[in-house]
């Protein structure tokens, strides 16, 4: 059966997703305890409303097919990879403690940028956020350290490898060479990372010189030690498995009427096995030391279930291009001759990636640009750079731009860090990140 025609949908179909984003942004500020108790019911209600509306408009069988394709093809692999990295990284313990000076914090952020390209933004965030929190747990002002951690480790740092961030992995699966991002995004990444690090040092130095300290450090300084070697090996297995299953074509199988790549099934089964091995053979003491709980993963999984379902009609409307309700948005990134205005493409891709899941946003604009990886890597390289950088970098603009953002936020709150709310966080991103992105536009995308 054909997919729903995005050109036939009005902007009314965007409302459930808008309500979800608005609720997450506003309700915790005015009724935090109510949101913690009722957010799961609210998300479930929105999902039911969207599915009922789609059933009425397109039929029950087509709605079931689209929902199954979204769940099986997108959501389940997303959650399984997230879970595998979350569980294995949660079994890697960095013992000891450093003093959270501006120099030490900047060094940890720099290490995180490199690590994000090896184990993904999720893996790097889970491994390093707790050592960073311990280093700064005697400081009265430490929320800004976590904010910059999200900027750099959970987002910008994952821009040089398909393993770093889901949008680049999608590009890899659609034919973009593994090393293409490193060769073409390196100047932008270095500029963005250096700019944000300089701003961080200035901000952290300001607070460090003027703030007070707790009477006793909850975790006194001590030499660093790494424990959980099994999980380090399992992370390597995850990385290798993702690369290998994306390289070989093993054919397709039919499940619930959907054609599914066998390599995807192998990958997902491998992720489940890695997760099970980590849970079975990691000493419980290691997870206790990490303060490991399922709460952050559960919170992200439930929220993104709502995002993936409410995005079904939105993605269809975006895919309709100039023939859909988002025609003014699409036309803003194209010149009269049909070529792309790459600065506009960078900002539009980034703006949508700030609030939508950045992986499908990347794919929509990848297809809009022709979907031919060989062309986009060569003659269309500037266009692919704009799409890639916008999707990866601007996932840092809000808490829901990238899954690790919410995980880091949840872990920091568990550790009693007074994290900024949705809009306060966005104030940080507007002040810090938007000028950096404007600089990138002028230096790398204006020609």
């Amino acid at each position: 059966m054909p997919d729903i025609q995005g050109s036939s949908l009005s902007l009314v179909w965007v409302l459930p997703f808008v309500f979800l984003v608005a609720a997450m942004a506003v309700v915790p500020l005015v009724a935090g305890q109510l949101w913690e108790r009722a957010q799961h019911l609210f998300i479930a209600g929105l999902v039911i409303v969207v599915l009922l509306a789609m059933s009425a408009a397109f039929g029950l069988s087509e709605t079931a097919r689209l929902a199954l394709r979204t769940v099986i093809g997108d959501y389940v692999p997303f959650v399984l990879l997230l879970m595998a990295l979350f569980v294995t990284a949660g079994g890697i313990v960095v013992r000891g403690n450093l003093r959270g000076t501006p120099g030490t914090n900047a060094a940890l952020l720099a290490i995180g940028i490199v690590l994000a390209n090896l184990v993904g933004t999720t893996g790097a965030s889970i491994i390093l956020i707790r050592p960073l929190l311990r280093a700064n747990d005697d400081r009265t002002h430490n929320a800004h350290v976590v904010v910059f951690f999200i900027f750099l480790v959970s987002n910008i740092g994952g821009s040089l490898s398909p393993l770093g961030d889901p949008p680049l992995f999608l590009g890899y699966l659609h034919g973009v060479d593994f090393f293409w991002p490193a060769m073409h995004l390196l100047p932008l990444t270095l500029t963005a990372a250096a700019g944000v690090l300089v701003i961080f040092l200035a901000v952290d130095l300001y607070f460090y010189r003027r703030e007070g300290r707790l009477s006793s450090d909850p975790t006194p300084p001590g030499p660093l030690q790494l424990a959980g070697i099994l999980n380090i090996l399992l992370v390597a297995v995850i990385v290798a498995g993702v690369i290998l299953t994306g390289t070989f074509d093993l054919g397709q199988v039919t499940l619930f009427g959907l054609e599914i790549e066998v390599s995807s099934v192998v990958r997902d089964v491998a992720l489940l096995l890695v997760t099970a091995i980590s849970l079975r053979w990691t000493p419980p003491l290691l997870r206790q030391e990490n303060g490991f709980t399922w709460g952050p993963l559960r919170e992200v999984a439930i929220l993104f279930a709502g995002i993936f379902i409410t995005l079904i009609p939105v993605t269809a409307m975006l895919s309709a291009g100039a023939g859909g309700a988002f025609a003014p948005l699409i036309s803003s990134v194209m010149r009269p001759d049909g070529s792309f205005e790459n600065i506009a493409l960078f900002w539009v891709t980034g703006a949508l990636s700030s609030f939508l899941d950045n992986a499908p946003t990347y794919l929509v604009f990848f297809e809009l640009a022709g979907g031919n990886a060989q062309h986009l890597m060569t003659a269309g390289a500037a266009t692919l750079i704009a799409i890639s950088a916008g999707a990866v970098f601007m996932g840092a603009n809000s808490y829901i731009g990238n899954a690790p953002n919410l995980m880091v936020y949840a872990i920091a709150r568990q550790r009693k860090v007074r994290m900024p709310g949705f809009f306060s966080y966005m104030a940080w991103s507007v002040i810090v990140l938007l000028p950096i992105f404007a600089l990138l536009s002028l230096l790398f995308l204006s020609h």
Side-chain angles (χ1 to χ4, degrees):
M1 296 180 69
D3 290 341
I4 56 176
Q5 296 298 314
S7 57
S8 67
L9 303 181
S10 72
L11 289 174
V12 171
W13 288 93
V14 182
L15 291 179
F17 175 75
V18 172
F19 288 154
L20 176 57
V21 174
M24 183 187 171
V26 176
V27 178
L29 299 178
V30 298
Q33 292 184 347
L34 175 63
W35 177 248
E36 289 184 5
R37 292 196 303 268
Q39 61 175 310
H40 301 163
L41 292 176
F42 176 78
I43 293 171
L46 282 179
V47 168
I48 291 172
V49 167
V50 170
L51 294 178
L52 288 176
M54 289 177 60
S55 298
F58 313 112
L60 181 60
S61 61
E62 175 67 0
T63 299
R65 188 183 71 84
L66 288 171
L68 278 173
R69 188 177 70 180
T70 298
V71 171
I72 296 174
D74 297 324
Y75 179 72
V76 169
F78 170 83
V79 170
L80 288 180
L81 179 58
L82 204 63
M83 179 176 68
L85 290 171
F86 180 77
V87 169
T88 53
I92 300 172
V93 177
V94 181
R95 292 189 176 123
N97 189 27
L98 300 171
R99 292 198 64 84
T101 65
T104 297
N105 289 333
L108 287 173
L109 294 179
I111 292 170
I113 293 171
V114 176
L115 190 61
N117 289 290
L118 302 176
V119 299
T121 52
T122 298
S125 296
I126 297 303
I127 291 171
L128 288 179
I129 185 56
R130 292 180 178 90
L132 186 77
L133 291 173
R134 287 201 303 270
N136 292 274
D137 59 5
D138 65 328
R139 296 180 57 174
T140 54
H141 296 94
N142 52 16
H144 68 281
V145 180
V146 183
V147 169
F148 278 88
F149 182 92
I150 293 174
F151 290 167
L152 290 166
V153 181
S154 302
N155 290 277
I156 294 173
S159 59
L160 299 179
S161 162
L163 300 174
D165 218 36
L168 300 183
F169 182 63
L170 282 180
Y172 172 62
L173 295 182
H174 283 75
V176 178
D177 290 344
F178 187 89
F179 294 105
W180 189 93
M183 292 187 295
H184 290 79
L185 295 178
L186 181 61
L188 287 81
T189 302
L190 290 177
T191 302
V196 175
L197 273 174
V198 168
I199 296 172
F200 168 75
L201 279 169
V203 172
D204 201 36
L205 190 61
Y206 171 83
F207 283 116
Y208 190 77
R209 287 177 173 175
R210 287 163 176 79
E211 69 187 0
R213 293 288 190 280
L214 299 180
S215 57
S216 61
D217 190 342
T219 49
L224 294 183
Q225 297 177 333
L226 190 64
I229 301 301
L230 169 64
N231 285 287
I232 296 175
L233 296 176
L234 289 176
V235 168
V237 170
I238 293 171
V239 172
V242 168
I243 293 175
L244 291 175
T245 55
T247 302
F248 298 105
D249 183 2
L250 303 177
Q252 296 180 326
V253 294
T254 301
L255 182 65
F256 301 117
L258 302 174
E259 295 293 330
I260 299 174
E261 297 290 336
V262 174
S263 58
S264 297
V265 177
V266 172
R267 179 198 62 222
D268 293 345
V269 170
L271 291 174
L272 282 171
L273 287 174
V274 166
T275 302
I277 291 170
S278 177
L279 291 172
R280 173 64 179 84
W281 296 105
T282 299
L285 178 61
L286 294 183
R287 298 198 188 279
Q288 292 173 13
E289 288 186 59
N290 257 342
F292 179 90
T293 68
W294 290 99
L297 180 65
R298 183 170 56 248
E299 183 175 338
V300 171
I302 292 173
L303 175 62
F304 273 85
I307 288 176
F308 272 88
I309 295 298
T310 57
L311 273 180
I312 292 175
V314 178
T315 303
M317 294 165 68
L318 285 169
S319 299
F326 289 122
L329 184 67
I330 302 300
S331 63
S332 70
V333 303
M334 300 191 73
R335 300 187 181 100
D337 64 359
S339 62
F340 288 93
E341 179 58 61
N342 291 321
I343 290 180
L345 191 61
F346 168 71
W347 284 97
V348 171
T349 304
L352 292 176
S353 294
S354 301
F355 301 100
L356 311 182
D357 182 62
N358 57 4
T361 301
Y362 169 95
L363 194 56
V364 164
F365 284 96
F366 183 90
E367 296 296 335
L368 183 67
N372 186 321
Q374 291 302 317
H375 171 75
L376 288 172
M377 287 190 296
T378 52
T383 295
L384 187 55
I385 287 171
I387 295 171
S388 303
V392 176
F393 290 171
M394 294 202 200
N397 284 345
S398 81
Y399 279 134
I400 62 173
N402 202 12
N405 302 2
L406 278 174
M407 290 188 131
V408 170
Y409 170 80
I411 291 171
R413 287 191 61 196
Q414 285 181 344
R415 296 295 183 97
K416 309 302 181 184
V417 176
R418 299 179 64 181
M419 290 296 294
F422 189 91
F423 291 115
S424 297
Y425 174 88
M426 286 192 64
W428 277 98
S429 68
V430 167
I431 294 171
V432 174
L433 296 180
L434 295 194
I436 298 293
F437 297 151
L439 179 63
L440 295 182
S441 300
L442 294 174
L443 292 179
F444 303 106
L445 300 173
S446 60
H447 52 275

